[in-house]
């Protein structure tokens, strides 16, 4: 499989909705698509990373209005266990058509829950729109605090936006200050479970979106499944996005491919290294578990 | 249409919730029985008194070692089935019967309950309490393709069923602790929240992005670990999720 996964088309795009682009991390793709899908009845609600009880700590919520979607706009570089709500969305929330956004691993979890529903009764055919975001790695909340408060010397509650790009972790404050940490310091803070991840651009989403490859304020969008294709075509017909062909934007698909290849190559090495992590009494290797081979 | 396969359900120390789950496929169950499988044994639904020959035997419930008939019927089902399935948390992992310890009238000596793999070899697990209608449907369709399909269908069915067969090889102890031992302790948890979402008794909460297991609430059904995308993730099947879901839905039309 290609490092970018199966896809029908790839486009550089941004939302035409100014309410959304004011708050969005990049081109406002996810927020706009969910708002459109809600309006059209494609979904009854979407599981998104809403505001939590501490600054920049996301809390999975079922959003059923555009205002709730807007409250979830923007990237939080820490874990939001969105799958926690996937069954509940079809229970007390009473949704028949569930939208969910997530990182590549969360899109994998969605597909596993659909193909192998172990404790996920009546979930498989209620997943109406799974939107994926590109993800290189994620951080625990405590790691994020260390980066923002120690390395960047900013208070969590004063931060307006965080961004990873061009080799830096950048923090923008409400009052206009900009602080940065070189990304080479990031590795010790990365969630260990991210080191075995073999997916960068959410290969299993219906539509996936991320910043890499497109100019600031724009997103790179992969339209992947039949479902994704129908929703994307509808949103384009409704003039919800400005688009540019991917081969006409800088830095373009080559950079996406390069970063995806780097991530997968590095992490495949980590997966392989687990096989010979330890030592048996007879001198041969003792390994750690590999989820891609057997439970 | 190829000849149907034969399916039976052996009811041991279970609650019939697994059989209800099969029935909760609604018209899907009729489709299964019309086109793919004959239900040749199930005391709740079929007037066949003794364990017959079966292609697939779904075993519901754990096995009481102090009840001779249970042990004999389980062994007979093993001898007469091509594929023996531990259907549900009790058969696979003991589930709530792990907590049985005897001392109740009128069989105070009925105290030892084991997952069926303590007594017989098991080919395939469908964990959880209850299991999912869609999961048992998928297994039934795939078993049909495995036994009656062309080479391409057999390959698909084999790929699909492999992790559920590997789960049966892995062992018969399940608990929320599996998330500690085999996911977090192994450096594999990435905080997706699936375990908390799947737990039937809400014994798992996500604290700062990691599962926290209330082990006194856990009933040992095996759902959390089996549903976790870091217990197994078979790319060969998952990358083709759209095609496989279409195929299963198509088979049920």
């Amino acid at each position: 499989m290609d490092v970018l996964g199966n896809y029908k088309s790839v486009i550089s795009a941004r939302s035409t909705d100014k309410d959304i682009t004011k708050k969005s991390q990049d081109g406002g793709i996810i927020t706009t698509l969910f708002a459109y899908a809600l309006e059209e009845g494609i979904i009854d609600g979407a599981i998104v990373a809403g505001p939590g009880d501490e600054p920049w700590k996301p809390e999975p919520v079922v959003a059923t209005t555009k205002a709730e979607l807007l409250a979830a706009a923007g990237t939080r570089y820490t874990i939001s266990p969105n799958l926690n709500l996937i069954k509940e969305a079809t229970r007390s929330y009473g949704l028949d058509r569930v939208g969910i956004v997530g990182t590549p691993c969360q899109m994998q979890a969605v597909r596993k829950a659909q193909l192998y529903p172990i404790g996920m009764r009546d979930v498989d055919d209620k997943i109406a729109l799974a939107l994926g975001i590109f993800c290189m790695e994620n951080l625990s909340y405590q790691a994020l605090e260390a980066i923002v408060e120690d390395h960047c010397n900013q208070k969590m509650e004063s931060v307006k936006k965080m961004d990873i790009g061009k080799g830096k972790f950048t923090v923008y404050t409400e009052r206009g200050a900009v602080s940065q940490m070189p990304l080479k310091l990031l590795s010790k803070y990365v969630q260990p479970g991210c080191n075995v991840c073999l997916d960068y651009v959410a290969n299993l989403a219906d539509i996936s979106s991320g910043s890499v490859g497109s100019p600031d304020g724009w997103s790179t969008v992969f339209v992947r499944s039949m479902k994704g294709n129908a929703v994307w075509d509808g949103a384009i017909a409704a003039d919800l996005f400005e688009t540019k062909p991917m081969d006409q934007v800088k830095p373009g698909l080559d950079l996406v491919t390069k970063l995806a290849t780097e991530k997968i190559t590095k992490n495949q090495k980590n997966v392989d290294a687990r096989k010979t992590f330890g030592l048996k009494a007879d001198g041969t290797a003792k390994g750690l578990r590999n989820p891609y081979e057997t439970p | 249409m190829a000849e149907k396969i034969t399916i039976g359900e052996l009811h041991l120390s279970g609650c019939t919730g697994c059989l209800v789950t099969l029935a909760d496929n609604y018209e899907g169950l009729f489709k299964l029985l019309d086109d793919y499988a004959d239900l040749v044994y199930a005391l709740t639904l079929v007037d066949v008194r003794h364990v017959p020959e079966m292609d697939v035997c779904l075993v519901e419930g754990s096995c009481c070692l102090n009840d001779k008939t249970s042990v004999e019927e389980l062994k007979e089902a093993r001898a007469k089935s091509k594929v023996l399935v531990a259907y549900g948390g009790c058969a696979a992992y003991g589930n709530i019967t792990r907590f049985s310890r005897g001392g109740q009238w009128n069989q105070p000596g009925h105290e030892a309950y084991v997952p069926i793999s303590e007594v017989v070899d098991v080919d395939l697990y469908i964990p959880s309490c209850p299991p999912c209608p869609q999961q048992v449907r998928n297994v039934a369709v795939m078993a049909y393709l495995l036994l009656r399909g062309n080479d391409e269908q057999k390959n698909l069915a084999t790929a699909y069923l492999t992790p559920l067969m590997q789960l049966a090889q892995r062992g018969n102890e399940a608990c929320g602790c599996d998330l500690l031992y085999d996911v977090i302790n192994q450096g594999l948890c990435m905080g997706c929240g699936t375990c908390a979402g799947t737990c039937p008794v809400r014994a798992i909460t996500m604290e700062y992005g990691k599962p926290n297991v209330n082990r006194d609430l856990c009933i040992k059904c095996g759902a959390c670990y089996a549903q976790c995308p870091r217990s197994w993730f078979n790319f060969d099947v998952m990358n083709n999720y759209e095609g496989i879901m279409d195929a299963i839905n198509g088979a049920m039309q």
Side-chain angles (χ1 to χ4, degrees):
Chain A
M1 180 138 164
D2 188 75
V3 295
L4 301 180
N6 299 322
Y7 60 90
K8 298 182 193 305
S9 57
V10 56
I11 315 102
S12 190
R14 76 171 171 194
S15 177
T16 53
D17 185 331
K18 295 285 176 277
D19 290 342
I20 290 176
T21 49
K22 241 187 283 174
K23 298 205 63 187
S24 63
Q25 187 76 10
D26 298 300
I29 308 297
I30 304 292
T31 312
T32 305
L33 282 173
F34 275 151
Y36 165 74
L38 268 179
E39 190 144 303
E40 293 295 312
I42 297 163
I43 59 172
D44 311 314
I47 303 168
V48 295
D53 54 4
E54 293 181 62
W56 292 92
K57 182 164 174 274
E59 181 71 29
V61 294
V62 174
T64 54
T65 64
K66 190 176 169 189
E68 287 168 325
L69 289 173
L70 278 169
T75 301
R76 271 76 129 226
Y77 288 101
T78 181
I79 306 160
S80 178
N82 285 3
L83 270 291
N84 191 355
L85 288 178
I86 192 93
K87 185 164 64 175
E88 196 59 32
T90 69
R91 302 299 199 273
S92 57
Y93 292 92
L95 305 191
D96 286 325
R97 295 165 291 240
V98 180
I100 181 166
V101 62
T103 50
C105 56
Q106 295 180 326
M107 292 299 106
Q108 292 178 347
V110 169
R111 299 317 178 193
K112 180 171 172 181
Q114 288 184 282
L115 278 180
Y116 295 98
I118 308 287
M120 291 282 184
R121 179 179 175 150
D122 296 347
V123 168
D124 67 335
D125 61 352
K126 292 195 167 68
I127 308 293
L129 187 60
L131 301 180
I133 45 181
F134 303 178
C135 179
M136 189 57 87
E137 57 222 346
N138 206 348
L139 308 162
S140 67
Y141 186 72
Q142 294 77 5
L144 185 66
E145 275 184 319
I147 289 164
V148 171
E149 299 195 343
D150 300 345
H151 290 274
C152 295
N153 286 309
Q154 298 294 348
K155 285 190 291 189
M156 290 288 273
E157 56 267 35
S158 69
V159 176
K160 188 171 74 178
K161 182 171 181 169
M162 299 180 197
D163 192 36
I164 290 180
K166 303 178 183 76
K168 299 269 201 305
F169 192 103
T170 308
V171 166
Y172 303 87
T173 71
E174 294 283 357
R175 298 213 301 261
V178 179
S179 299
Q180 293 187 312
M181 181 190 86
L183 273 190
K184 62 173 188 286
L185 298 179
L186 193 75
S187 61
K188 77 166 174 181
Y189 294 115
V190 170
Q191 170 176 234
C194 296
N195 293 323
V196 297
C197 174
L198 305 175
D199 187 346
Y200 176 51
V201 288
N203 295 354
L204 297 184
D206 290 313
I207 298 173
S208 48
S209 168
S211 66
V212 171
S214 291
D216 288 348
W218 290 68
S219 298
T220 302
V221 179
F222 291 93
V223 180
R224 300 185 180 281
S225 66
M226 297 294 285
K227 232 176 229 174
N229 210 31
V231 172
W232 185 256
D233 285 350
I236 292 294
D239 285 329
L240 296 178
F241 295 110
E242 283 179 76
T243 63
K244 290 178 185 170
M246 206 53 215
D247 54 11
Q248 286 171 31
V249 297
K250 296 280 178 201
L253 204 58
D254 287 350
L255 182 65
V256 187
T257 308
K258 177 171 168 275
L259 292 182
T261 307
E262 279 175 16
K263 172 175 176 176
I264 292 163
T265 308
K266 182 184 71 155
N267 287 348
Q268 184 63 56
K269 277 186 193 146
N270 293 336
V271 171
D272 294 341
R274 294 173 65 87
K275 279 179 200 154
T276 55
F277 189 83
L279 186 65
K280 285 183 184 166
D282 65 3
T284 59
K286 192 174 167 65
L288 296 170
R289 209 169 63 72
N290 179 355
Y292 307 124
E293 284 175 1
T294 131
Chain B
M1 182 108 10
E3 186 196 343
K4 288 197 259 185
I5 60 172
T6 53
I7 288 189
E9 208 223 33
L10 175 66
H11 194 291
L12 294 180
S13 296
C15 72
T16 325
C18 291
L19 188 67
V20 170
T21 291
L22 177 66
D24 279 349
N25 278 293
Y26 303 109
E27 65 271 31
L29 176 62
F30 297 131
K31 178 70 181 177
L32 275 177
L33 298 180
D34 282 345
D35 291 356
Y36 306 114
D38 281 323
L39 188 66
V40 293
Y41 182 66
L43 290 180
T44 309
L45 299 171
V46 185
D47 192 20
V48 172
R49 307 298 175 92
H50 298 290
V51 177
E53 298 279 337
M54 291 169 271
D55 287 322
V56 178
C57 179
L58 304 169
V59 182
E60 169 177 354
S62 63
C63 182
C64 179
L65 300 181
N66 318 110
D67 177 41
K68 212 170 135 191
T69 307
S70 290
V71 176
E72 288 312 312
E73 285 192 339
L74 178 56
K75 286 162 75 175
E76 196 178 359
R78 173 67 277 185
K80 291 181 170 176
S81 310
K82 287 201 183 86
V83 181
L84 190 84
V85 178
Y87 181 33
C90 291
Y93 296 116
N95 201 37
I96 197 75
T97 67
R98 283 288 192 191
F99 299 92
S100 300
R101 43 188 279 286
Q104 289 181 312
W105 295 112
N106 62 354
Q107 295 288 353
H110 281 193
E111 66 175 31
Y113 290 78
V114 291
I116 60 170
S117 67
E118 291 286 337
V119 179
V120 296
D121 287 341
V122 178
D123 299 306
L124 196 141
Y125 275 9
I126 302 178
S128 186
C129 179
C132 288
Q134 296 80 15
Q135 182 62 82
V136 67
R137 173 202 68 194
N138 292 358
V139 167
V141 170
M142 291 296 174
Y144 172 80
L145 294 180
L146 185 71
L147 298 172
R148 299 283 187 272
N150 59 33
D151 284 351
E152 193 190 345
Q153 291 167 326
K154 276 181 186 157
N155 288 341
L156 169 67
T158 304
Y160 179 86
L161 295 171
T162 293
L164 300 173
M165 290 159 63
Q166 290 173 333
L167 218 47
Q169 295 302 310
R170 176 176 167 267
N172 60 25
E173 292 175 23
C175 177
C177 291
D178 295 343
L179 299 172
L180 315 185
Y181 303 146
D182 281 352
V183 187
I184 304 171
N185 294 172
Q186 285 278 322
L188 295 170
C189 177
M190 41 61 184
C192 67
T194 302
C195 51
T198 200
C199 178
V201 296
R202 300 176 200 263
I204 305 169
T205 52
M206 298 299 288
E207 309 290 346
Y208 287 100
K210 296 287 150 161
N212 195 42
V213 181
N214 184 337
R215 287 164 295 164
D216 283 346
L217 271 184
C218 171
I219 56 166
K220 300 183 186 288
C221 72
C224 54
Y225 181 72
Q227 193 74 79
C228 168
R230 289 288 172 85
S231 59
W232 86 78
F233 198 83
N234 46 345
F235 282 107
D236 57 336
V237 171
M238 303 293 187
N239 285 341
N240 188 25
Y241 78 92
E242 232 184 333
I244 295 175
M245 286 174 64
D246 284 351
I248 292 171
N249 289 334
M252 299 310 291
Q253 285 301 307

